[in-house]
Amino acid sequence: MSLIELTAAQAASAVNAGELDPRELFEEYATRAREHGLDGESRLNCFTWLAQAAPEQRPAAGGPLAGVPLAVKDLFCVEGVPSQAGSRILEGYRPPYTATAVARLEQAGASVLGKTNQDEFAMGSSNEHSGFGPVLNPWDRGRVPGGSSGGSAAAVAAGLAPWALGTDTGGSIRQPAGLCGIVGLKPTYGAVSRYGMIAFASSLDQAGPLTRNVSDAALLLRHMVGRDALDATSLEFPEAVELPSREDLRGLRLGVPADLEDTGVEAGVREAFERTLELARELGAEVRTNIELPHAPHALSAYYVIAPAEASSNLARYDGVRYGLRVEAPEDDPEGGLVGMYMHTRHDGFGAEVKRRIMLGTYALSAGYYDAYYGRAQKVRTRIAEDFARAFQAVDFVVTPTSAEVAFELGAKTAEPWSMYANDYFTVPMPLAGIPAISIPCGLSGAQQGLGPGGAGLPVGFQIAGPAFSENGLLAAAYALERAIGFDGSVAWV
Ligand code: GLN
C-alpha cells in the first residue's frame, strides 16, 4: 500500500505503533509536493514554500500527531518561514514568532510541510487574487479550487498533503473544501486563537482544518482549540473535541432554509444535495424544509461592508516601514519622501482586489457614512444571529449546499466582482453569527456535461451549521453522513 493512502489519523497511529517512520512519511509528501505542488508547467501552484526536510525530531514528535506533515495557509506566521498572506507587499517577510494554532499543532507533534497559496489577505473565492498566481483545481486544471484557502484545499485533494490548515472569514475553508471534494470545518468564533494569523477581518476570521475525512478534521481541531492569553477573543472550548463514531442520525432534526428554491442553486448541485437529504432520512434524521432565516438574503451585503471595513483598518499597517516590500518614490515624484514611499509601496504591493476592499472599507468607515453603512451592517449581523438562534429552537442543525455551483473556470468571475462575491451566498451567514459549520463532499455533478476526471463530474459540498460550540455534534453527524455517502476523493490524487 502506498503511504498516501493512509489518512492523517491512520498515519499518526502507525507512527505511534512503531510501524511507520515519520521521516519516510514526510519525505513521501515533500517529494510529491515538490513535483506537483509548485508553480509552472500546469502544476497546481498550491504551495508557495516547502520545508527542505522534516524538522529535527523534537521531544514532542512522539505526540498524538506523531510527525504527520501539515500544510499551512500562508497567512499563519511561522517563525523563520516566509509568511506572506498571498501578498507581494509581504514578500520576503519571515516572522520572528509562530501563530498559536500552528504552535499548538507542532507541540502535538505535527511537522510543517509547507505554506499554501491563497487569495491575497484571504480576499477571494477562487484563489485568482493571489499575488503568487492562481491555484489549479486537481479535479480539472482549467478550473478554480475555490478560495481563499484554495492552496490548502488543492494540496489535500491532490494528495500532496495529508491535511491542512486554513482560515474562514466568509467561507474560505468551506467553499474551497466543497469545490475540491474534501472536508472543511469553520469552528465557532473564538474556539481557535487568532494570534499570529495575518488579519483580514478580525471579528470574522477563524482558523480550521481542511482534511480528507471527518475524523481527521476532529483530530486536527482537537489540538488547535482553547483559550490563548495572546488573543483576548479566544475562549476555552467547553468540552473535549471527540473523535466521531456516530453511525446514525436518529433523533436529529435537520433544517433546510425554506427559500432554497429561489437561490439559484444549479441542477447538479441540487440533485447531490437532495440525495444527501434522502440519506440523512434513511439514517433516521428528521428533515424540515421550512426553516426561516429571513435576514440571510442580506448577509452578503452586510458581509461586504463589515469585512472590507475591518480590512481597511487591519491593512493600514503595511506602510513599507516595518515588514516586507518597500518602494521609494522616484526622484521626480512631487509626493517624495516618506509619504511618497507609503504611496508607492502600497501601489506596487497590493493587488487590485485588496485595493478595492480598502477603498470600500475606508469609505464605509468615513465620518458621516459610518452609521449608514458599518452601523447598519452590524444591525443586520445581529438579526442574522437571531435568525439562527430561532432556527436552532426548531432544529439541531441547518443544512445547505456549500456553494450554488461546482468549481468554475479560471477567469469566469474575475471581471465582475459581484458575481465572485455572490458565490459566498451560503457561507457568509455563519461567520456573521459566529457559529460553526462544516462542509463535506456529497457527490459529483456535471457528469452529463463530461466535466471532471474521465467525465466523472465535479465535487459538490454539503454544509451543516450548528449553534456555537456544537462542533462535536456537527462532526458526529458529518461522520455518519460521510459513511453513508461513500465519496471517493482519491480520483483527484495526482
Ligand atoms: N470569499 C469571501 C471574501 O472574499 C470570503 C473570504 C474568506 O473567508 N477569507 O471575502
Side-chain angles (χ1 to χ4, degrees):
M1 185 173 100
S2 141
L3 284 183
I4 70 155
E5 287 174 34
L6 298 171
T7 66
Q10 287 166 345
S13 321
V15 172
N16 283 332
E19 293 157 4
L20 175 62
D21 179 348
R23 276 162 305 193
E24 200 188 320
L25 181 69
F26 194 94
E27 217 19 74
E28 173 79 16
Y29 276 106
T31 307
R32 290 174 58 76
R34 261 194 305 277
E35 217 161 290
H36 305 285
L38 295 170
D39 194 7
E41 292 165 19
S42 102
R43 290 186 292 188
L44 296 174
N45 195 26
C46 50
F47 284 99
T48 49
W49 175 87
L50 281 169
Q52 286 307 312
E56 281 309 305
Q57 297 297 316
R58 272 161 291 176
L65 302 184
V68 174
L70 174 72
V72 175
K73 188 176 184 178
D74 196 19
L75 63 68
F76 288 91
C77 288
V78 179
E79 186 182 341
V81 165
S83 301
Q84 307 169 137
S87 182
R88 292 281 174 191
I89 210 163
L90 278 170
E91 197 152 7
Y93 174 58
R94 291 175 184 251
Y97 67 104
T98 297
T100 299
V102 178
R104 287 192 175 167
L105 292 171
E106 286 186 315
Q107 265 151 27
S111 298
V112 174
L113 171 67
K115 299 300 286 296
T116 57
N117 199 348
Q118 59 163 98
D119 283 300
E120 186 174 5
F121 289 105
M123 299 174 189
S125 312
S126 69
N127 231 289
E128 293 165 293
H129 298 315
S130 166
F132 302 92
V135 175
L136 312 185
N137 189 321
W139 289 83
D140 175 347
R141 290 175 192 224
R143 290 174 187 266
V144 305
S148 63
S149 311
S152 289
V156 173
L160 307 183
W163 52 11
L165 267 188
T167 62
D168 193 310
T169 302
S172 279
I173 290 175
R174 293 159 288 154
Q175 186 255 17
L179 301 195
C180 287
I182 62 166
V183 172
L185 170 71
K186 183 207 93 77
T188 304
Y189 184 76
V192 180
S193 168
R194 287 182 296 109
Y195 179 73
M197 268 164 52
I198 295 169
F200 166 14
S202 307
S203 76
L204 297 157
D205 297 345
Q206 192 55 204
L210 291 111
T211 56
R212 233 183 252 174
N213 68 19
V214 176
S215 300
D216 282 356
L219 181 61
L220 205 59
L221 181 70
R222 173 188 276 183
H223 296 287
M224 297 166 65
V225 295
R227 164 129 183 95
D228 175 14
L230 299 170
D231 172 5
T233 63
S234 67
L235 294 159
E236 208 49 73
F237 205 79
E239 53 193 11
V241 176
E242 289 158 20
L243 299 186
S245 58
R246 182 167 183 157
E247 291 179 7
D248 63 59
L249 297 176
R250 273 197 287 275
L252 216 62
R253 296 157 306 166
L254 302 181
V256 180
D259 63 354
L260 202 65
E261 297 289 330
D262 324 322
T263 48
V265 177
E266 66 183 22
V269 170
R270 181 89 213 198
E271 261 169 43
F273 178 72
E274 296 290 348
R275 252 194 331 263
T276 310
L277 289 181
E278 207 35 59
L279 286 174
R281 287 191 193 95
E282 284 167 21
L283 290 170
E286 179 194 336
V287 178
R288 299 196 186 164
T289 53
N290 58 349
I291 295 306
E292 299 291 342
L293 296 167
H295 299 87
H298 305 295
L300 271 183
S301 312
Y303 174 85
Y304 278 99
V305 170
I306 293 170
E310 294 184 16
S312 72
S313 166
N314 275 325
L315 270 53
R317 73 191 68 171
Y318 304 107
D319 55 4
V321 176
R322 284 163 290 192
Y323 342 73
L325 184 76
R326 172 180 301 176
V327 182
E328 299 291 349
E331 292 281 309
D332 57 351
D333 190 324
E335 193 65 82
L338 183 64
V339 173
M341 187 280 284
Y342 290 159
M343 289 170 65
H344 284 272
T345 300
R346 289 168 72 85
H347 173 274
D348 293 1
F350 288 137
E353 181 62 22
V354 171
K355 287 177 184 155
R356 180 181 297 125
R357 306 261 182 133
I358 291 174
M359 286 192 289
L360 276 172
T362 307
Y363 179 77
L365 291 178
S366 53
Y369 293 107
Y370 183 94
D371 285 335
Y373 294 105
Y374 192 72
R376 196 160 174 85
Q378 290 288 23
K379 286 182 186 156
V380 172
R381 182 177 191 171
T382 302
R383 293 275 187 249
I384 288 167
E386 289 168 355
D387 284 355
F388 276 114
R390 211 169 304 115
F392 292 137
Q393 287 171 6
V395 291
D396 299 289
F397 302 127
V398 169
V399 298
T400 70
T402 306
S403 303
E405 304 167 57
V406 292
F408 44 91
E409 283 172 18
L410 287 156
K413 296 184 194 282
T414 37
E416 201 27 83
W418 186 251
S419 74
M420 185 78 83
Y421 299 168
N423 208 262
D424 306 333
Y425 185 87
F426 292 117
T427 53
V428 292
M430 296 80 185
L432 287 170
I435 60 174
I438 190 169
S439 174
I440 61 170
C442 70
L444 297 169
S445 159
Q448 323 76 275
Q449 296 112 275
L451 302 181
L458 293 169
V460 176
F462 185 86
Q463 175 172 241
I464 318 173
F469 293 113
S470 64
E471 277 83 344
N472 277 330
L474 280 184
L475 287 160
Y479 177 82
L481 267 178
E482 172 183 67
R483 288 168 50 105
I485 295 164
F487 183 82
D488 177 14
S490 68
V491 184
W493 294 353
V494 294

